[in-house]
């Protein structure tokens, strides 16, 4: 049942984002930034943790989950290090996602064969 919950929650998040892309004049970049900020806000108010507990990877893999990881890392670092943790905790909490984005970005940059538009 865990897989079903992860699938439908992650799919619902992606479907809402696709509707935003198709039906609004928001650019994909603004939608992505909005999702990260929304993830941070939901975690700050304690509303996203129950979703993560219910859906697992279906809630942590989309960009809402990246914001959740940032906020969770900041909260942990502030509890341990005080104010300095507000600056270091987000990067520490989301280090896995950041590292994966860099590695896969470099890998695909080496593999891709870009074509000119002219």
């Amino acid at each position: 049942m865990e897989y079903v919950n992860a699938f439908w929650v992650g799919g619902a998040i992606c479907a809402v984002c696709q509707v935003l892309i198709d039906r609004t004049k928001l650019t994909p970049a603004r939608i992505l930034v909005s999702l990260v900020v929304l993830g941070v806000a939901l975690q700050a108010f304690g509303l996203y943790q129950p979703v993560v507990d219910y859906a697992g990877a279906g809630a942590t893999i989309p960009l809402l989950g990246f914001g959740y990881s940032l906020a969770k890392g900041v909260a942990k670092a502030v509890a341990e290090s005080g104010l300095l943790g507000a600056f270091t905790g987000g990067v520490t909490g989301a280090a896995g996602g950041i590292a994966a984005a860099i590695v896969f970005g470099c890998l695909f940059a080496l593999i891709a064969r870009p074509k000119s538009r002219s």
Side-chain angles (χ1 to χ4, degrees), residues 5 8 15 22-24 27 31 37 41 44-45 47 51 62 64 78-80 91 97 106 110-111 115:
N5 292 338
W8 82 262
D22 292 343
R23 302 284 184 204
T24 67
T27 63
I31 294 170
V37 171
F45 292 115
L47 300 174
V51 177
L64 285 171
V78 166
E80 294 173 358
V91 175
C106 291
L110 293 172
I111 294 172
K115 298 176 184 174

Side-chain angles (χ1 to χ4, degrees), residues 36-66:
V36 173
V37 171
L38 182 62
V40 169
L42 289 173
Q43 178 60 21
F45 292 115
L47 300 174
Y48 204 67
Q49 188 62 49
V51 177
V52 170
D53 293 340
Y54 177 75
T60 58
I61 298 299
L63 282 170
L64 285 171
F66 184 71

Side-chain angles (χ1 to χ4, degrees), residues 12-30:
I13 293 169
C14 293
V16 167
C17 294
Q18 189 64 47
V19 168
L20 288 173
I21 290 170
D22 292 343
R23 302 284 184 204
T24 67
K25 293 187 181 204
L26 292 172
T27 63
R30 288 184 183 196

